[in-house]
Amino acid sequence: MTETTTIVDRGYDHLPLPYGWFAVATSNEIAVGDVKTLKYFGTEFVIWRGENGQLNAVDPYCPHLGAHLGHGGEVVGDDLQCPFHHWSWNGQGGVTAIPYAKIIPPKLKRPECLKTWTLGESMGVVYAWFHPRGTAPKWELASDPDIIAQNWVLAETHEWIIKIHIQEISENGQDYAHFRAVHGTQGPPASEFKVDGVVRRNSVTTEMLTPRGPMTGNISTYAVGPGQSFIRYTDVTDVFQAQMLTAIDANHTHMRWQFFHPPDISDGKMRVTKARMRDLVKQVTQDIPIWENKRYHPEPL
């Protein structure tokens, strides 16, 4: 699939970008004093972490004379200073300082004088709330409290930029028929599926080949909105996976994975766990060439 292939060519002109909480960075990628320009949802925004440790994000162009706040903007205290005239903006989108003005006009101090983005952090990941009409968050940012409470260990992280609409990846996880064709499972899996509002829960039981012979594996998924999925693999070992999908635009998706394992497992169990993680990465590398070269059919046969 070439980069010149359009969303119309691939049928993605039928698919709007979904709204929800979406991963835009890892927490350790934005230290105190950092300013970064992020490009997602077919647009861009500027994010920074103030001295108080809080993250803030605003639209990129200063409403004064249009300077891009991500190119030369600096963190001053908790605010972001424009590189052009050193106006300072707080995380609510109001002006806090104009060096050459004795008085800041009240209208410039108001929240959302510069459009802001709602952010959250969970399990070491930074999320932004996206809605095409700017609507406030409709649900809370999700996490897995059991994994946190039981001190599961973050073992590996992976990420891919994939030439596909975000909806395709979410639907692929429910397409159990491809498990055998693409990933070599030993028969059609048994599955349960339930949707309650923005929450999806499903479980899959399937037969797999392992170096020790055939075995039964279970995959349990808890997903909140289109951007967050928490998946537990119980088979030869126990692996927890956080999958985060974020639309860059209608033709590209940023997919992030975190793998966790229980604390204090034996060396032998660790080797098996690492092998299970490698196999999951192998499976997605089998999916990606299909995703990047397929077309979306609104009414499939």
PDB file of all heavy atoms in Angstrom, residues 184-189 204-219 233-239 269 272 276 279:
ATOM      1  N   GLY A 184      -2.583 -19.725  13.135  1.00  0.00           N
ATOM      2  CA  GLY A 184      -2.341 -21.151  13.298  1.00  0.00           C
ATOM      3  C   GLY A 184      -2.932 -21.787  14.519  1.00  0.00           C
ATOM      4  O   GLY A 184      -2.418 -22.806  14.996  1.00  0.00           O
ATOM      5  N   THR A 185      -4.016 -21.225  15.082  1.00  0.00           N
ATOM      6  CA  THR A 185      -4.667 -21.896  16.191  1.00  0.00           C
ATOM      7  C   THR A 185      -5.329 -23.183  15.701  1.00  0.00           C
ATOM      8  O   THR A 185      -5.552 -23.370  14.502  1.00  0.00           O
ATOM      9  CB  THR A 185      -5.721 -20.981  16.853  1.00  0.00           C
ATOM     10  OG1 THR A 185      -6.711 -20.630  15.876  1.00  0.00           O
ATOM     11  CG2 THR A 185      -5.078 -19.724  17.394  1.00  0.00           C
ATOM     12  N   GLN A 186      -5.674 -24.047  16.641  1.00  0.00           N
ATOM     13  CA  GLN A 186      -6.074 -25.408  16.282  1.00  0.00           C
ATOM     14  C   GLN A 186      -7.584 -25.601  16.171  1.00  0.00           C
ATOM     15  O   GLN A 186      -8.121 -26.621  16.561  1.00  0.00           O
ATOM     16  CB  GLN A 186      -5.514 -26.380  17.320  1.00  0.00           C
ATOM     17  CG  GLN A 186      -4.004 -26.419  17.328  1.00  0.00           C
ATOM     18  CD  GLN A 186      -3.440 -26.811  15.972  1.00  0.00           C
ATOM     19  OE1 GLN A 186      -3.644 -27.925  15.512  1.00  0.00           O
ATOM     20  NE2 GLN A 186      -2.743 -25.886  15.330  1.00  0.00           N
ATOM     21  N   GLY A 187      -8.282 -24.631  15.643  1.00  0.00           N
ATOM     22  CA  GLY A 187      -9.705 -24.813  15.460  1.00  0.00           C
ATOM     23  C   GLY A 187     -10.457 -23.545  15.798  1.00  0.00           C
ATOM     24  O   GLY A 187      -9.891 -22.595  16.347  1.00  0.00           O
ATOM     25  N   PRO A 188     -11.738 -23.501  15.491  1.00  0.00           N
ATOM     26  CA  PRO A 188     -12.520 -22.301  15.796  1.00  0.00           C
ATOM     27  C   PRO A 188     -12.654 -22.101  17.301  1.00  0.00           C
ATOM     28  O   PRO A 188     -12.979 -23.043  18.023  1.00  0.00           O
ATOM     29  CB  PRO A 188     -13.884 -22.596  15.153  1.00  0.00           C
ATOM     30  CG  PRO A 188     -13.948 -24.086  15.086  1.00  0.00           C
ATOM     31  CD  PRO A 188     -12.547 -24.553  14.862  1.00  0.00           C
ATOM     32  N   PRO A 189     -12.353 -20.914  17.808  1.00  0.00           N
ATOM     33  CA  PRO A 189     -12.416 -20.685  19.251  1.00  0.00           C
ATOM     34  C   PRO A 189     -13.856 -20.554  19.740  1.00  0.00           C
ATOM     35  O   PRO A 189     -14.752 -20.156  19.003  1.00  0.00           O
ATOM     36  CB  PRO A 189     -11.666 -19.368  19.426  1.00  0.00           C
ATOM     37  CG  PRO A 189     -11.874 -18.647  18.129  1.00  0.00           C
ATOM     38  CD  PRO A 189     -11.915 -19.720  17.075  1.00  0.00           C
ATOM     39  N   VAL A 204     -12.284 -15.585  25.002  1.00  0.00           N
ATOM     40  CA  VAL A 204     -12.075 -16.552  23.929  1.00  0.00           C
ATOM     41  C   VAL A 204     -11.314 -17.730  24.504  1.00  0.00           C
ATOM     42  O   VAL A 204     -10.300 -17.557  25.193  1.00  0.00           O
ATOM     43  CB  VAL A 204     -11.267 -15.938  22.764  1.00  0.00           C
ATOM     44  CG1 VAL A 204     -11.030 -16.971  21.677  1.00  0.00           C
ATOM     45  CG2 VAL A 204     -11.973 -14.725  22.203  1.00  0.00           C
ATOM     46  N   THR A 205     -11.776 -18.921  24.214  1.00  0.00           N
ATOM     47  CA  THR A 205     -11.059 -20.143  24.572  1.00  0.00           C
ATOM     48  C   THR A 205     -10.683 -20.853  23.284  1.00  0.00           C
ATOM     49  O   THR A 205     -11.540 -21.102  22.433  1.00  0.00           O
ATOM     50  CB  THR A 205     -11.930 -21.068  25.436  1.00  0.00           C
ATOM     51  OG1 THR A 205     -12.305 -20.360  26.627  1.00  0.00           O
ATOM     52  CG2 THR A 205     -11.157 -22.319  25.826  1.00  0.00           C
ATOM     53  N   THR A 206      -9.388 -21.150  23.130  1.00  0.00           N
ATOM     54  CA  THR A 206      -8.926 -21.727  21.883  1.00  0.00           C
ATOM     55  C   THR A 206      -7.828 -22.745  22.141  1.00  0.00           C
ATOM     56  O   THR A 206      -7.133 -22.697  23.164  1.00  0.00           O
ATOM     57  CB  THR A 206      -8.426 -20.630  20.920  1.00  0.00           C
ATOM     58  OG1 THR A 206      -8.138 -21.206  19.645  1.00  0.00           O
ATOM     59  CG2 THR A 206      -7.174 -19.952  21.455  1.00  0.00           C
ATOM     60  N   GLU A 207      -7.659 -23.662  21.202  1.00  0.00           N
ATOM     61  CA  GLU A 207      -6.593 -24.663  21.282  1.00  0.00           C
ATOM     62  C   GLU A 207      -5.363 -24.146  20.553  1.00  0.00           C
ATOM     63  O   GLU A 207      -5.464 -23.630  19.440  1.00  0.00           O
ATOM     64  CB  GLU A 207      -7.053 -25.985  20.666  1.00  0.00           C
ATOM     65  CG  GLU A 207      -8.254 -26.613  21.357  1.00  0.00           C
ATOM     66  CD  GLU A 207      -7.971 -26.931  22.815  1.00  0.00           C
ATOM     67  OE1 GLU A 207      -6.871 -27.441  23.104  1.00  0.00           O
ATOM     68  OE2 GLU A 207      -8.841 -26.650  23.658  1.00  0.00           O
ATOM     69  N   MET A 208      -4.209 -24.295  21.207  1.00  0.00           N
ATOM     70  CA  MET A 208      -2.960 -23.793  20.635  1.00  0.00           C
ATOM     71  C   MET A 208      -1.903 -24.887  20.672  1.00  0.00           C
ATOM     72  O   MET A 208      -1.937 -25.785  21.522  1.00  0.00           O
ATOM     73  CB  MET A 208      -2.451 -22.591  21.427  1.00  0.00           C
ATOM     74  CG  MET A 208      -3.423 -21.451  21.525  1.00  0.00           C
ATOM     75  SD  MET A 208      -2.737 -20.079  22.506  1.00  0.00           S
ATOM     76  CE  MET A 208      -2.482 -20.882  24.071  1.00  0.00           C
ATOM     77  N   LEU A 209      -0.957 -24.793  19.718  1.00  0.00           N
ATOM     78  CA  LEU A 209       0.200 -25.684  19.738  1.00  0.00           C
ATOM     79  C   LEU A 209       1.320 -25.020  20.513  1.00  0.00           C
ATOM     80  O   LEU A 209       1.623 -23.845  20.322  1.00  0.00           O
ATOM     81  CB  LEU A 209       0.663 -25.987  18.312  1.00  0.00           C
ATOM     82  CG  LEU A 209      -0.173 -26.992  17.518  1.00  0.00           C
ATOM     83  CD1 LEU A 209       0.396 -27.147  16.109  1.00  0.00           C
ATOM     84  CD2 LEU A 209      -0.220 -28.349  18.214  1.00  0.00           C
ATOM     85  N   THR A 210       1.960 -25.753  21.410  1.00  0.00           N
ATOM     86  CA  THR A 210       3.106 -25.262  22.163  1.00  0.00           C
ATOM     87  C   THR A 210       4.225 -26.297  22.049  1.00  0.00           C
ATOM     88  O   THR A 210       3.999 -27.426  21.593  1.00  0.00           O
ATOM     89  CB  THR A 210       2.757 -25.064  23.658  1.00  0.00           C
ATOM     90  OG1 THR A 210       2.679 -26.346  24.294  1.00  0.00           O
ATOM     91  CG2 THR A 210       1.443 -24.321  23.811  1.00  0.00           C
ATOM     92  N   PRO A 211       5.457 -25.942  22.434  1.00  0.00           N
ATOM     93  CA  PRO A 211       6.546 -26.932  22.409  1.00  0.00           C
ATOM     94  C   PRO A 211       6.238 -28.173  23.239  1.00  0.00           C
ATOM     95  O   PRO A 211       6.816 -29.235  23.022  1.00  0.00           O
ATOM     96  CB  PRO A 211       7.738 -26.155  22.982  1.00  0.00           C
ATOM     97  CG  PRO A 211       7.449 -24.729  22.641  1.00  0.00           C
ATOM     98  CD  PRO A 211       5.956 -24.593  22.768  1.00  0.00           C
ATOM     99  N   ARG A 212       5.314 -28.047  24.201  1.00  0.00           N
ATOM    100  CA  ARG A 212       4.931 -29.179  25.035  1.00  0.00           C
ATOM    101  C   ARG A 212       3.679 -29.897  24.512  1.00  0.00           C
ATOM    102  O   ARG A 212       3.123 -30.748  25.192  1.00  0.00           O
ATOM    103  CB  ARG A 212       4.707 -28.712  26.463  1.00  0.00           C
ATOM    104  CG  ARG A 212       5.954 -28.095  27.098  1.00  0.00           C
ATOM    105  CD  ARG A 212       5.672 -27.669  28.527  1.00  0.00           C
ATOM    106  NE  ARG A 212       6.852 -27.050  29.142  1.00  0.00           N
ATOM    107  CZ  ARG A 212       6.888 -26.582  30.378  1.00  0.00           C
ATOM    108  NH1 ARG A 212       5.794 -26.663  31.141  1.00  0.00           N
ATOM    109  NH2 ARG A 212       7.978 -26.041  30.861  1.00  0.00           N
ATOM    110  N   GLY A 213       3.225 -29.481  23.322  1.00  0.00           N
ATOM    111  CA  GLY A 213       2.052 -30.111  22.740  1.00  0.00           C
ATOM    112  C   GLY A 213       0.843 -29.197  22.780  1.00  0.00           C
ATOM    113  O   GLY A 213       0.930 -28.030  23.196  1.00  0.00           O
ATOM    114  N   PRO A 214      -0.326 -29.688  22.341  1.00  0.00           N
ATOM    115  CA  PRO A 214      -1.541 -28.870  22.330  1.00  0.00           C
ATOM    116  C   PRO A 214      -1.955 -28.472  23.743  1.00  0.00           C
ATOM    117  O   PRO A 214      -1.742 -29.214  24.700  1.00  0.00           O
ATOM    118  CB  PRO A 214      -2.586 -29.796  21.696  1.00  0.00           C
ATOM    119  CG  PRO A 214      -1.807 -30.863  21.019  1.00  0.00           C
ATOM    120  CD  PRO A 214      -0.546 -31.034  21.800  1.00  0.00           C
ATOM    121  N   MET A 215      -2.537 -27.300  23.857  1.00  0.00           N
ATOM    122  CA  MET A 215      -3.035 -26.849  25.152  1.00  0.00           C
ATOM    123  C   MET A 215      -4.191 -25.881  24.921  1.00  0.00           C
ATOM    124  O   MET A 215      -4.364 -25.325  23.842  1.00  0.00           O
ATOM    125  CB  MET A 215      -1.941 -26.183  25.969  1.00  0.00           C
ATOM    126  CG  MET A 215      -1.423 -24.891  25.401  1.00  0.00           C
ATOM    127  SD  MET A 215      -0.667 -23.878  26.655  1.00  0.00           S
ATOM    128  CE  MET A 215      -2.103 -23.473  27.623  1.00  0.00           C
ATOM    129  N   THR A 216      -4.984 -25.685  25.951  1.00  0.00           N
ATOM    130  CA  THR A 216      -6.108 -24.762  25.901  1.00  0.00           C
ATOM    131  C   THR A 216      -5.695 -23.432  26.507  1.00  0.00           C
ATOM    132  O   THR A 216      -5.118 -23.385  27.594  1.00  0.00           O
ATOM    133  CB  THR A 216      -7.316 -25.329  26.668  1.00  0.00           C
ATOM    134  OG1 THR A 216      -7.702 -26.577  26.072  1.00  0.00           O
ATOM    135  CG2 THR A 216      -8.491 -24.362  26.611  1.00  0.00           C
ATOM    136  N   GLY A 217      -5.994 -22.362  25.780  1.00  0.00           N
ATOM    137  CA  GLY A 217      -5.679 -21.033  26.276  1.00  0.00           C
ATOM    138  C   GLY A 217      -6.931 -20.184  26.362  1.00  0.00           C
ATOM    139  O   GLY A 217      -7.886 -20.380  25.610  1.00  0.00           O
ATOM    140  N   ASN A 218      -6.918 -19.232  27.298  1.00  0.00           N
ATOM    141  CA  ASN A 218      -8.051 -18.327  27.462  1.00  0.00           C
ATOM    142  C   ASN A 218      -7.583 -16.884  27.322  1.00  0.00           C
ATOM    143  O   ASN A 218      -6.539 -16.502  27.863  1.00  0.00           O
ATOM    144  CB  ASN A 218      -8.721 -18.528  28.822  1.00  0.00           C
ATOM    145  CG  ASN A 218      -9.917 -17.616  29.009  1.00  0.00           C
ATOM    146  OD1 ASN A 218      -9.819 -16.554  29.611  1.00  0.00           O
ATOM    147  ND2 ASN A 218     -11.052 -18.029  28.467  1.00  0.00           N
ATOM    148  N   ILE A 219      -8.364 -16.093  26.594  1.00  0.00           N
ATOM    149  CA  ILE A 219      -8.094 -14.668  26.423  1.00  0.00           C
ATOM    150  C   ILE A 219      -9.310 -13.905  26.921  1.00  0.00           C
ATOM    151  O   ILE A 219     -10.417 -14.084  26.406  1.00  0.00           O
ATOM    152  CB  ILE A 219      -7.836 -14.314  24.946  1.00  0.00           C
ATOM    153  CG1 ILE A 219      -6.736 -15.187  24.351  1.00  0.00           C
ATOM    154  CG2 ILE A 219      -7.483 -12.836  24.809  1.00  0.00           C
ATOM    155  CD1 ILE A 219      -6.587 -15.037  22.844  1.00  0.00           C
ATOM    156  N   TYR A 233      -4.050 -13.085  29.248  1.00  0.00           N
ATOM    157  CA  TYR A 233      -3.794 -14.365  28.589  1.00  0.00           C
ATOM    158  C   TYR A 233      -3.444 -15.390  29.666  1.00  0.00           C
ATOM    159  O   TYR A 233      -2.462 -15.208  30.402  1.00  0.00           O
ATOM    160  CB  TYR A 233      -2.633 -14.253  27.603  1.00  0.00           C
ATOM    161  CG  TYR A 233      -2.847 -13.235  26.501  1.00  0.00           C
ATOM    162  CD1 TYR A 233      -2.464 -11.901  26.679  1.00  0.00           C
ATOM    163  CD2 TYR A 233      -3.426 -13.600  25.288  1.00  0.00           C
ATOM    164  CE1 TYR A 233      -2.652 -10.960  25.672  1.00  0.00           C
ATOM    165  CE2 TYR A 233      -3.617 -12.662  24.278  1.00  0.00           C
ATOM    166  CZ  TYR A 233      -3.228 -11.346  24.483  1.00  0.00           C
ATOM    167  OH  TYR A 233      -3.418 -10.409  23.490  1.00  0.00           O
ATOM    168  N   THR A 234      -4.234 -16.431  29.747  1.00  0.00           N
ATOM    169  CA  THR A 234      -3.998 -17.477  30.738  1.00  0.00           C
ATOM    170  C   THR A 234      -3.838 -18.796  30.006  1.00  0.00           C
ATOM    171  O   THR A 234      -4.798 -19.319  29.423  1.00  0.00           O
ATOM    172  CB  THR A 234      -5.170 -17.571  31.734  1.00  0.00           C
ATOM    173  OG1 THR A 234      -5.442 -16.271  32.257  1.00  0.00           O
ATOM    174  CG2 THR A 234      -4.832 -18.511  32.876  1.00  0.00           C
ATOM    175  N   ASP A 235      -2.614 -19.305  29.985  1.00  0.00           N
ATOM    176  CA  ASP A 235      -2.334 -20.575  29.290  1.00  0.00           C
ATOM    177  C   ASP A 235      -1.114 -21.207  29.948  1.00  0.00           C
ATOM    178  O   ASP A 235      -1.173 -21.573  31.112  1.00  0.00           O
ATOM    179  CB  ASP A 235      -2.164 -20.356  27.771  1.00  0.00           C
ATOM    180  CG  ASP A 235      -1.417 -19.069  27.443  1.00  0.00           C
ATOM    181  OD1 ASP A 235      -0.277 -18.902  27.912  1.00  0.00           O
ATOM    182  OD2 ASP A 235      -1.982 -18.229  26.725  1.00  0.00           O
ATOM    183  N   VAL A 236       0.000 -21.295  29.222  1.00  0.00           N
ATOM    184  CA  VAL A 236       1.213 -21.842  29.835  1.00  0.00           C
ATOM    185  C   VAL A 236       1.773 -20.900  30.892  1.00  0.00           C
ATOM    186  O   VAL A 236       2.593 -21.282  31.715  1.00  0.00           O
ATOM    187  CB  VAL A 236       2.297 -22.114  28.762  1.00  0.00           C
ATOM    188  CG1 VAL A 236       1.885 -23.274  27.883  1.00  0.00           C
ATOM    189  CG2 VAL A 236       2.554 -20.870  27.924  1.00  0.00           C
ATOM    190  N   THR A 237       1.319 -19.663  30.855  1.00  0.00           N
ATOM    191  CA  THR A 237       1.759 -18.665  31.819  1.00  0.00           C
ATOM    192  C   THR A 237       0.621 -17.671  32.019  1.00  0.00           C
ATOM    193  O   THR A 237      -0.516 -17.937  31.639  1.00  0.00           O
ATOM    194  CB  THR A 237       3.046 -17.969  31.329  1.00  0.00           C
ATOM    195  OG1 THR A 237       3.517 -17.072  32.335  1.00  0.00           O
ATOM    196  CG2 THR A 237       2.821 -17.230  30.024  1.00  0.00           C
ATOM    197  N   ASP A 238       0.924 -16.526  32.611  1.00  0.00           N
ATOM    198  CA  ASP A 238      -0.087 -15.511  32.874  1.00  0.00           C
ATOM    199  C   ASP A 238       0.472 -14.169  32.430  1.00  0.00           C
ATOM    200  O   ASP A 238       1.457 -13.677  33.000  1.00  0.00           O
ATOM    201  CB  ASP A 238      -0.427 -15.494  34.366  1.00  0.00           C
ATOM    202  CG  ASP A 238      -1.769 -14.842  34.666  1.00  0.00           C
ATOM    203  OD1 ASP A 238      -2.416 -14.362  33.720  1.00  0.00           O
ATOM    204  OD2 ASP A 238      -2.155 -14.819  35.849  1.00  0.00           O
ATOM    205  N   VAL A 239      -0.126 -13.580  31.404  1.00  0.00           N
ATOM    206  CA  VAL A 239       0.355 -12.322  30.839  1.00  0.00           C
ATOM    207  C   VAL A 239      -0.800 -11.329  30.776  1.00  0.00           C
ATOM    208  O   VAL A 239      -1.913 -11.686  30.374  1.00  0.00           O
ATOM    209  CB  VAL A 239       0.940 -12.528  29.426  1.00  0.00           C
ATOM    210  CG1 VAL A 239       1.267 -11.192  28.777  1.00  0.00           C
ATOM    211  CG2 VAL A 239       2.187 -13.400  29.484  1.00  0.00           C
ATOM    212  N   LYS A 269       9.579 -19.850  34.844  1.00  0.00           N
ATOM    213  CA  LYS A 269       8.313 -19.221  34.469  1.00  0.00           C
ATOM    214  C   LYS A 269       8.562 -17.947  33.666  1.00  0.00           C
ATOM    215  O   LYS A 269       7.801 -17.618  32.736  1.00  0.00           O
ATOM    216  CB  LYS A 269       7.512 -18.894  35.718  1.00  0.00           C
ATOM    217  CG  LYS A 269       6.045 -18.578  35.467  1.00  0.00           C
ATOM    218  CD  LYS A 269       5.269 -19.820  35.102  1.00  0.00           C
ATOM    219  CE  LYS A 269       3.773 -19.593  35.145  1.00  0.00           C
ATOM    220  NZ  LYS A 269       2.983 -20.780  34.802  1.00  0.00           N
ATOM    221  N   VAL A 272       9.211 -18.812  30.016  1.00  0.00           N
ATOM    222  CA  VAL A 272       7.958 -19.142  29.338  1.00  0.00           C
ATOM    223  C   VAL A 272       7.140 -17.874  29.087  1.00  0.00           C
ATOM    224  O   VAL A 272       6.542 -17.690  28.017  1.00  0.00           O
ATOM    225  CB  VAL A 272       7.145 -20.149  30.175  1.00  0.00           C
ATOM    226  CG1 VAL A 272       5.789 -20.396  29.541  1.00  0.00           C
ATOM    227  CG2 VAL A 272       7.908 -21.457  30.317  1.00  0.00           C
ATOM    228  N   ARG A 276       5.887 -16.281  25.566  1.00  0.00           N
ATOM    229  CA  ARG A 276       4.485 -15.972  25.267  1.00  0.00           C
ATOM    230  C   ARG A 276       4.358 -14.554  24.725  1.00  0.00           C
ATOM    231  O   ARG A 276       3.614 -14.303  23.771  1.00  0.00           O
ATOM    232  CB  ARG A 276       3.642 -16.110  26.546  1.00  0.00           C
ATOM    233  CG  ARG A 276       2.149 -15.928  26.291  1.00  0.00           C
ATOM    234  CD  ARG A 276       1.593 -17.104  25.515  1.00  0.00           C
ATOM    235  NE  ARG A 276       0.155 -17.015  25.331  1.00  0.00           N
ATOM    236  CZ  ARG A 276      -0.434 -16.594  24.214  1.00  0.00           C
ATOM    237  NH1 ARG A 276       0.292 -16.200  23.175  1.00  0.00           N
ATOM    238  NH2 ARG A 276      -1.744 -16.580  24.113  1.00  0.00           N
ATOM    239  N   ASP A 279       5.490 -14.450  21.170  1.00  0.00           N
ATOM    240  CA  ASP A 279       4.502 -15.030  20.268  1.00  0.00           C
ATOM    241  C   ASP A 279       3.387 -14.033  19.971  1.00  0.00           C
ATOM    242  O   ASP A 279       2.905 -13.958  18.826  1.00  0.00           O
ATOM    243  CB  ASP A 279       3.921 -16.301  20.879  1.00  0.00           C
ATOM    244  CG  ASP A 279       2.939 -16.988  19.945  1.00  0.00           C
ATOM    245  OD1 ASP A 279       3.379 -17.471  18.882  1.00  0.00           O
ATOM    246  OD2 ASP A 279       1.736 -17.030  20.266  1.00  0.00           O
TER     247      ASP A 279
END
